[in-house]
Amino acid sequence: MEGALIARDKVGVQDFVLLDSHTSEAAFLNNLRKRYQENLIYTYIGSLLVSVNPYQELDIYTVTQMKLYRGVNFFELPPHLYAIADNAYRVMCSEYNNHFILISGESGAGKTEASKKILQYYAVTCPTTEQLQTVRDRLLLSNPVLEAFGNAKTLRNDNSSRFGKYMDIQFDFKGAPVGGHILSYLIEKSRVVHQNHGERNFHIFYQLLEGGDKDLLCWLGLERNPQKYTYLIQGRCAKVFSINDKNDWKIVRKAFSIIDFTEKDIEHLFGIVASVLHLGNIQFEEDSNGHAIIRDGTQIKWISKLLGAHLSILQEALTHRKIEARSEEVLSPLNVELAFYARDAVAKAIYGRTFTWLVNKINGSLANKDSTQKTVIGLLDIYGFEVLDTNSFEQFCINYCNEKLQQLLIEMTLKAEQEEYELEGIEWEPIPYFNNKIICDLVEQKHKGIISILDEECLRPGEATDLSFLEKLEEKVGDHAHFVTRKLADQKTRKSIDWVDFRLLHYAGEVTYCAVGFLEKNNDLLYRNLKEVLCNSKNSIIRDCFLMSELDNRRRPETVATQFKNSLTSLIEILMSKEPSYIRCIKPNENKEPGKFDDFLIRHQVKYLGLMEHLRVRRAGFAYRRKYEFFLQRYKCLCPATWPHWHGPAAEGVERLIKHIGYKPEEYKLGRTKIFIRFPKTLFATEDAFEYRKHLLISRLQAKYKGFLGKRAYQKKRKAAIKLEACWRGALARRAAKKRTWAVQTIRKFINGFINRKKPLCPENRDFVRLSQYHYLMKLRDHLPKNVLDKSWLQPPSILEETSEMLRKICVRNLVRKYCRGLTAERKIQLQQKVVTSAVFSGKKEGYLESLSQPFLDTRLRISTSNLSDGIVVIHVPEDNKQKGDVILQCEHIFETVTKLCMLANKQSVVKVVKGSLRFRVGSGKEGTMVFTVGPEPQVFKDKTGQLTVVSAGSCSSRDCAGIGPGMGEQGWFLVWALREFSLTQSQCAPAK
């Protein structure tokens, strides 16, 4: 790329990021014009490719060109479609992630051709086998089939895609294409029944009439002249000089056979195409009651034959509507206007659903049956921002789609920039940009957006019209900054908006939409009796498209706008999961003339494609970034310290180089692997110095040889130099050939090792096994368990299962050893207590498992006794047990009991000898007081204040200790066993006596 800068005055810069006046639209257009006039139709904005349609064949798409760009660094060669395709493919193969290439632009800008060229590039440059060649052919030939049924001539383009297409190309682990999948968006069904002046219906109708053989047309009931069919003559241009319908028919017929269509499929498919033409020729007249009737039944008979529908039922369905009256379904006759509406509705429904069936059929032939993991590169060929003289429902959907894609583009560009800065260790500076989420919300917000309002009008009872829809918009979103109607506009703006229009301020500019037809196009409903006819059709494709289950479903189907919004949301989710590449296509003039550059038209597209905004975001940081090795290799001659060889790290060499040149601190930053240059003029000055230095060295050498050796000696020396160069090039070529031979032998050896990997170790598989062992052990190093509870272990290859198990055991033992060594004395005692608990309770008592995670605490044992001769012992239950009171024991051998409790708990400090009284807990939130005194005889009683009084008068009689406590009457006591809280640390635990 740097080498082309020397000619920048003549052919412009290859990357708009290098424009000095990057915010100037005039500078942008001037650079684009310079390149276009030199047939340089591609220019970068960073990694985004701007493509200008040349309207002529250029010698830049040959197999030689494909091979030239294969495997080359993105910026090494001039901008090209192939560079984008190759970069996506190489990164996918090396990083094993998914990519997509978004191709957008105005109709006629070359989007479809760009997607074809990318497919052809992969077909030529990717590895293949005879088996994969079939998949490759199907991928390539799916295009002419989809173009035939989904493309049409418009005022702007003779081969305009009237649907959005997203194609996933699936690759195996070797990088070979093994399958694909296509998603289609918003086929323009209204074109089937109506075309503007100067436009045609879909190509397939004209191809069938022009290229179909006589027997086929006879069987379909068709004549070769397209002027005979109402649906083909509204645009008044059935014949187009630039389109060869007959030749295109042959390509489509060949594609059908390769894509695996059966003869029955083809027969039924063309039967449907012919039925649509016959439908368009049905004419309705009014009878004496004002009801629609069909006097000429010729067309109905052909439709009945081709769709396998009952003649009388079909005729009745086109002139009547089934409605519910008093819980019964009755047929209501239609007037002529409604009959034409029903006819057009069924034509649009048949064609639209057949197109969906066609896409699914192609997907079936492209499907890869292998369940192994695959990577994909997606191609999104979708309509660009459209601003026509009259913008209707289709333009509204298309421009809403572009709003969403623009939002995605800016977000992903910013994300990529931020990630590169972080990776290189350069501080990220937030970049201000216009966030068009506010416009997306205006269109799609639930209950409040334009689509929701449109759906409400379509679904509400009563007479809804396009004007009532417009009034609803004014009521609900009239205060939005990006919405205006004639009623809401100021006096100056009002003149440019009609009463049936509304205007949206999109990211790319203002677009005025005519609300007429919005409700009809969004509803897209079929009368029930017409749907019944289609569901009972004998045409297998029609039966697949119109399922009987639809008749049982009384729910109203989703509107067209809601379907489109949902599919667009799914598409955005798909794209967000992939790495992006972008191609923006521009149409240079309206007349398709080579070399003509229409400034006004191109400025309009630059604005609507958001190119200036993208350039501003891309240039907000650094204009140029390059790996240290490449930068040093090119410019090392500018510094004595780096010329002719630099022996240290490339980063240090670049630092020495730019200091010698005189870069200022604000002009550059040094990352971890790249140099970042902020201003293009800094790079231009460096490149100019390089060119000057190069010419100066050459001149000095020439002068030196001419002066010392004379002319003949100089010529002789020159020949010797040429010979020496040839010898050196030969040596380099032999070295490269030797390296390639070694690479082939190594690859062959490892393939052989992979095939024999399950055999015992032998010369055939030794290297492969050793490599597998190395990679497994290196990977295992980073995935070892972190603690004794971590049971994860990296799955080994079969040849390392035994070794892996041995390593796992060693690792576990090491973790256990580390854990044990890290235990404190206190923690060891707790664990010993847990061991005893396990021996006593495991598998015997409920709640044991829940107690495992709860450590035993020293504070749970507290004992109180009086200083008198009574036999009372109080064991205090911890306060965290809210449901129980303290335990009170009366026993004869109090000293022995308390001593053994202390010994069992291994703690003497827990005993407290009190004088006079002590407090104890009776239950949840209640406390009691026990008073100790001396009397004539021992007794325990409750005094008038409710306190428990213990009287001592001598030693207790010999008996086992008995439990006492509240709950056994006024004077009675009971024993509550609670020793479990402190006796689990000893294996010889037993009840106290």
Side-chain angles (χ1 to χ4, degrees):
M1 182 180 74
E2 294 88 344
L5 293 178
I6 200 66
R8 60 185 179 273
D9 291 335
K10 180 183 178 183
V11 299
V13 293
Q14 294 183 356
D15 192 336
F16 284 110
V17 172
L18 297 178
L19 281 177
D20 267 333
S21 306
H22 70 278
T23 57
S24 166
E25 193 177 73
F28 189 99
L29 290 173
N30 186 46
N31 191 71
L32 204 62
R33 186 189 304 105
K34 283 180 182 179
R35 297 184 62 74
Y36 184 69
Q37 288 169 352
E38 297 293 327
N39 284 332
L40 300 172
I41 62 171
Y42 296 123
T43 313
Y44 291 134
I45 305 178
S47 57
L48 179 148
L49 182 71
V50 179
S51 169
V52 185
N53 195 335
Y55 291 126
Q56 61 178 314
E57 290 295 326
L58 299 178
D59 191 28
I60 58 172
Y61 303 108
T62 62
V63 174
T64 303
Q65 284 282 316
M66 293 180 187
K67 291 178 179 177
L68 181 66
Y69 277 86
R70 181 171 60 185
V72 176
N73 185 280
F74 187 71
F75 291 110
E76 285 299 304
L77 294 171
H80 202 292
L81 206 64
Y82 295 157
I84 295 285
D86 185 74
N87 186 63
Y89 177 77
R90 281 190 297 107
V91 176
M92 178 201 71
C93 290
S94 60
E95 299 181 6
Y96 211 67
N97 54 10
N98 299 324
H99 279 250
F100 75 87
I101 301 173
L102 192 159
I103 308 169
S104 64
E106 197 172 286
S107 180
K111 300 186 300 295
T112 303
E113 286 301 311
S115 64
K116 287 182 191 175
K117 293 285 190 287
I118 291 173
L119 277 175
Q120 289 166 1
Y121 177 80
Y122 290 140
V124 171
T125 60
C126 293
T128 188
T129 63
E130 190 173 336
Q131 182 182 0
L132 294 176
Q133 189 62 43
T134 304
V135 175
R136 185 169 297 178
D137 291 342
R138 288 176 179 175
L139 279 169
L140 290 173
L141 288 172
S142 65
N143 261 326
V145 173
L146 291 173
E147 284 182 19
F149 284 83
N151 287 27
K153 182 200 179 308
T154 65
L155 290 171
R156 299 184 170 194
N157 182 7
D158 291 348
N159 187 33
S160 175
S161 298
R162 306 318 299 161
F163 69 105
K165 181 179 73 173
Y166 175 77
M167 172 188 278
D168 265 340
I169 310 167
Q170 300 167 346
F171 297 86
D172 64 10
F173 72 96
K174 294 178 289 187
V178 293
H181 187 81
I182 298 168
L183 296 174
S184 65
Y185 299 94
L186 196 69
I187 178 75
E188 189 186 19
K189 292 181 286 188
S190 60
R191 181 168 293 273
V192 174
V193 299
H194 174 75
Q195 307 92 44
N196 294 323
H197 183 69
E199 298 189 349
R200 294 206 314 176
N201 210 320
F202 292 104
H203 292 324
I204 188 62
F205 296 110
Y206 308 94
Q207 291 172 3
L208 175 60
L209 298 182
E210 185 72 25
D213 58 55
K214 189 176 180 181
D215 291 341
L216 175 61
L217 295 181
C218 183
W219 181 79
L220 296 172
L222 298 176
E223 297 181 43
R224 205 170 287 282
N225 185 3
Q227 300 296 331
K228 298 279 186 181
Y229 302 99
T230 304
Y231 282 165
L232 302 185
I233 61 173
Q234 296 172 44
R236 300 178 185 174
C237 60
K239 295 281 187 181
V240 181
F241 174 74
S242 63
I243 300 175
N244 189 333
D245 291 314
K246 192 170 186 176
N247 188 57
D248 292 342
W249 167 261
K250 293 176 183 176
I251 296 172
V252 170
R253 289 292 284 141
K254 177 187 175 185
F256 277 140
S257 60
I258 292 179
I259 296 175
D260 210 19
F261 279 68
T262 65
E263 282 302 317
K264 201 71 176 175
D265 289 334
I266 296 171
E267 178 186 311
H268 285 174
L269 185 60
F270 291 143
I272 292 169
V273 174
S275 297
V276 171
L277 293 179
H278 288 304
L279 270 169
N281 280 5
I282 293 176
Q283 297 299 315
F284 299 97
E285 297 180 16
E286 195 173 69
D287 65 7
S288 57
N289 296 318
H291 300 150
I293 58 172
I294 302 173
R295 295 200 186 277
D296 184 358
T298 307
Q299 308 298 332
I300 285 285
K301 289 176 183 176
W302 280 111
I303 297 168
S304 174
K305 171 196 169 185
L306 296 171
L307 297 186
H310 195 281
L311 179 61
S312 59
I313 296 175
L314 176 61
Q315 186 162 349
E316 184 183 72
L318 286 169
T319 55
H320 292 74
R321 178 184 180 185
K322 189 174 281 188
I323 60 173
E324 286 192 7
R326 297 178 183 176
S327 302
E328 292 184 0
E329 290 185 339
V330 297
L331 287 174
S332 172
L334 302 174
N335 60 31
V336 172
E337 183 182 353
L338 287 176
F340 277 117
Y341 171 82
R343 179 200 71 176
D344 291 347
V346 75
K348 290 189 290 184
I350 286 174
Y351 194 87
R353 296 202 189 189
T354 299
F355 185 80
T356 303
W357 175 90
L358 187 69
V359 171
N360 292 335
K361 181 70 177 178
I362 293 172
N363 283 338
S365 73
L366 295 178
N368 180 253
K369 307 301 188 289
D370 186 4
S371 60
T372 57
Q373 188 176 2
K374 296 172 285 292
T375 50
V376 302
I377 294 178
L379 293 180
L380 179 59
D381 171 6
I382 203 157
Y383 14 63
F385 208 89
E386 284 195 357
V387 185
L388 309 178
D389 293 335
T390 301
N391 301 289
S392 188
F393 177 75
E394 290 82 9
Q395 281 70 47
F396 172 77
C397 292
I398 287 169
N399 292 344
Y400 160 53
C401 172
N402 275 270
E403 284 286 356
K404 295 289 284 184
L405 293 175
Q406 173 68 8
Q407 187 182 27
L408 177 74
L409 167 64
I410 296 296
E411 285 179 359
M412 297 191 85
T413 302
L414 282 172
K415 181 184 173 186
E417 285 283 286
Q418 190 170 358
E419 284 178 353
E420 183 174 22
Y421 279 44
E422 289 174 356
L423 195 66
E424 291 294 324
I426 293 177
E427 184 180 354
W428 170 254
E429 300 171 3
I431 299 172
Y433 69 98
F434 172 63
N435 189 345
N436 65 335
K437 184 178 184 297
I438 186 173
I439 306 172
C440 295
D441 288 344
L442 169 63
V443 175
E444 68 184 6
Q445 193 171 13
K446 205 171 183 181
H447 306 306
K448 297 179 182 178
I450 294 174
I451 290 177
S452 292
I453 297 167
L454 178 60
D455 286 355
E456 283 178 20
E457 282 299 289
C458 288
L459 302 177
R460 74 173 174 86
E463 190 66 28
T465 65
D466 295 317
L467 283 178
S468 69
F469 162 60
L470 197 60
E471 289 169 1
K472 236 354 162 10
L473 286 179
E474 291 172 337
E475 177 189 331
K476 292 200 171 183
V477 298
D479 58 347
H480 198 285
H482 294 264
F483 175 86
V484 68
T485 63
R486 185 183 179 95
K487 179 180 176 181
L488 302 171
D490 56 40
Q491 191 169 0
K492 183 180 179 181
T493 309
R494 192 173 295 144
K495 297 176 182 178
S496 60
I497 306 178
D498 206 324
W499 284 109
V500 291
D501 293 347
F502 65 93
R503 179 174 293 170
L504 297 184
L505 307 182
H506 288 280
Y507 76 91
E510 300 176 349
V511 183
T512 303
Y513 299 97
C514 177
V516 175
F518 262 62
L519 264 64
E520 178 188 338
K521 292 175 180 178
N522 189 46
N523 245 329
D524 204 30
L525 292 177
L526 268 183
Y527 294 145
R528 181 176 174 81
N529 47 327
L530 273 172
K531 194 177 284 187
E532 286 175 355
V533 171
L534 297 173
C535 289
N536 289 294
S537 170
K538 293 179 182 176
N539 184 303
S540 61
I541 297 176
I542 294 293
R543 276 203 316 275
D544 287 344
C545 294
F546 296 87
L547 302 176
M548 293 296 291
S549 57
E550 290 185 42
L551 301 176
D552 301 327
N553 187 0
R554 293 291 179 173
R555 290 185 62 187
R556 196 172 181 123
E558 284 185 334
T559 62
V560 174
T562 297
Q563 288 177 32
F564 183 67
K565 182 180 81 169
N566 293 339
S567 61
L568 186 56
T569 301
S570 300
L571 174 64
I572 296 296
E573 288 175 0
I574 291 171
L575 299 183
M576 287 290 285
S577 66
K578 295 177 170 62
E579 294 295 319
S581 299
Y582 305 100
I583 299 172
R584 292 287 195 255
C585 299
I586 290 178
K587 180 169 64 173
N589 61 77
E590 292 284 10
N591 303 322
K592 308 177 182 66
E593 293 181 25
K596 184 178 179 182
F597 192 90
D598 186 332
D599 281 55
F600 179 79
L601 177 64
I602 293 173
R603 182 180 289 107
H604 172 87
Q605 293 173 77
V606 166
K607 181 180 180 183
Y608 287 163
L609 287 170
L611 297 182
M612 293 302 297
E613 178 74 5
H614 183 79
L615 174 58
R616 196 175 65 79
V617 169
R618 187 65 177 73
R619 261 296 299 273
F622 295 88
Y624 173 87
R625 61 215 56 186
R626 204 72 159 129
K627 291 274 188 185
Y628 288 132
E629 292 80 6
F630 295 120
F631 189 86
L632 183 63
Q633 179 63 29
R634 181 166 187 82
Y635 299 117
K636 63 182 180 180
C637 65
L638 299 179
C639 173
T642 57
W643 175 258
H645 300 294
W646 172 259
H647 299 289
E652 293 179 11
V654 169
E655 191 171 4
R656 182 78 66 88
L657 171 63
I658 59 178
K659 281 182 180 177
H660 179 79
I661 295 173
Y663 280 16
K664 296 176 182 177
E666 66 272 14
E667 292 181 325
Y668 73 96
K669 288 282 186 184
L670 296 177
R672 293 190 177 97
T673 65
K674 295 178 182 178
I675 178 174
F676 289 73
I677 296 178
R678 190 177 296 277
F679 308 114
K681 61 183 181 181
T682 307
L683 177 65
F684 295 160
T686 307
E687 183 61 28
D688 291 343
F690 168 73
E691 285 296 322
Y692 175 78
R693 178 71 174 169
K694 184 172 70 173
H695 291 302
L696 185 64
L697 287 171
I698 292 171
S699 300
R700 284 178 178 174
L701 283 171
Q702 289 175 344
K704 180 180 177 182
Y705 281 114
K706 283 182 180 178
F708 282 102
L709 302 174
K711 190 173 181 181
R712 288 185 63 186
Y714 170 73
Q715 292 293 339
K716 190 176 180 181
K717 198 73 175 178
R718 187 170 177 272
K719 287 179 182 179
I722 293 172
K723 189 175 181 180
L724 181 63
E725 183 184 10
C727 293
W728 175 243
R729 289 181 182 275
L732 289 177
R734 285 189 293 275
R735 186 186 298 174
K738 188 177 180 181
K739 193 173 182 180
R740 285 195 297 271
T741 303
W742 171 84
V744 168
Q745 291 170 349
T746 303
I747 292 169
R748 187 178 291 129
K749 179 172 61 176
F750 278 94
I751 291 174
N752 195 29
F754 175 77
I755 294 169
N756 297 286
R757 66 191 183 281
K758 294 186 179 179
K759 294 181 180 179
L761 198 63
C762 60
E764 285 80 10
N765 66 8
R766 181 181 291 109
D767 291 332
F768 179 80
V769 169
R770 294 284 182 260
L771 184 65
S772 300
Q773 291 171 338
Y774 173 79
H775 281 302
Y776 175 70
L777 292 175
M778 289 298 101
K779 198 172 180 181
L780 180 63
R781 180 183 62 181
D782 299 325
H783 294 82
L784 289 172
K786 300 293 185 288
N787 54 61
V788 291
L789 296 179
D790 186 355
K791 302 299 182 186
S792 63
W793 190 257
L794 194 65
Q795 183 69 28
S798 56
I799 54 177
L800 279 175
E801 286 178 351
E802 187 178 342
T803 305
S804 175
E805 180 60 23
M806 181 179 68
L807 290 173
R808 189 189 67 79
K809 289 179 179 179
I810 293 171
C811 180
V812 170
R813 287 174 185 169
N814 185 48
L815 289 171
V816 171
R817 180 169 169 270
K818 280 185 179 179
Y819 179 77
C820 291
R821 285 192 168 189
L823 291 174
T824 62
E826 181 183 1
R827 182 64 176 150
K828 284 182 180 177
I829 292 171
Q830 288 183 346
L831 290 176
Q832 287 170 353
Q833 293 173 359
K834 289 286 185 179
V835 170
V836 175
T837 308
S838 176
V840 175
F841 294 110
S842 180
K844 301 173 186 176
K845 184 168 178 63
E846 291 184 5
Y848 167 70
L849 293 177
E850 288 78 1
S851 75
L852 290 176
S853 60
Q854 302 169 2
F856 293 161
L857 302 179
D858 293 341
T859 57
R860 290 197 178 127
L861 178 62
R862 289 184 297 117
I863 302 170
S864 296
T865 183
S866 75
N867 63 335
L868 302 178
S869 61
D870 58 81
I872 298 296
V873 178
V874 178
I875 302 173
H876 298 278
V877 176
E879 292 182 5
D880 57 358
N881 194 331
K882 304 291 185 185
Q883 304 301 320
K884 299 177 182 178
D886 294 340
V887 178
I888 304 173
L889 302 177
Q890 184 181 28
C891 58
E892 177 182 359
H893 307 291
I894 185 170
F895 299 105
E896 181 182 350
T897 300
V898 173
T899 301
K900 287 185 175 179
L901 286 173
C902 292
M903 290 176 66
L904 287 169
N906 197 23
K907 292 179 68 177
Q908 298 177 17
S909 59
V910 297
V911 179
K912 183 179 180 183
V913 179
V914 300
K915 290 182 181 181
S917 66
L918 66 81
R919 298 187 67 80
F920 63 92
R921 289 174 59 250
V922 178
S924 178
K926 297 178 182 179
E927 288 190 345
T929 303
M930 187 182 298
V931 178
F932 298 96
T933 185
V934 178
E937 60 181 24
Q939 59 177 323
V940 179
F941 63 91
K942 207 172 190 180
D943 65 12
K944 293 178 182 179
T945 63
Q947 291 182 341
L948 190 65
T949 303
V950 179
V951 180
S952 302
S955 61
C956 299
S957 60
S958 178
R959 68 180 185 274
D960 288 342
C961 69
I964 61 174
M968 293 190 64
E970 190 76 18
Q971 303 272 334
W973 310 98
F974 66 93
L975 172 63
V976 180
W977 177 255
L979 295 179
R980 66 177 183 184
E981 290 292 321
F982 54 86
S983 63
L984 300 182
T985 57
Q986 300 293 333
S987 59
Q988 57 271 65
C989 60
K993 289 190 178 180

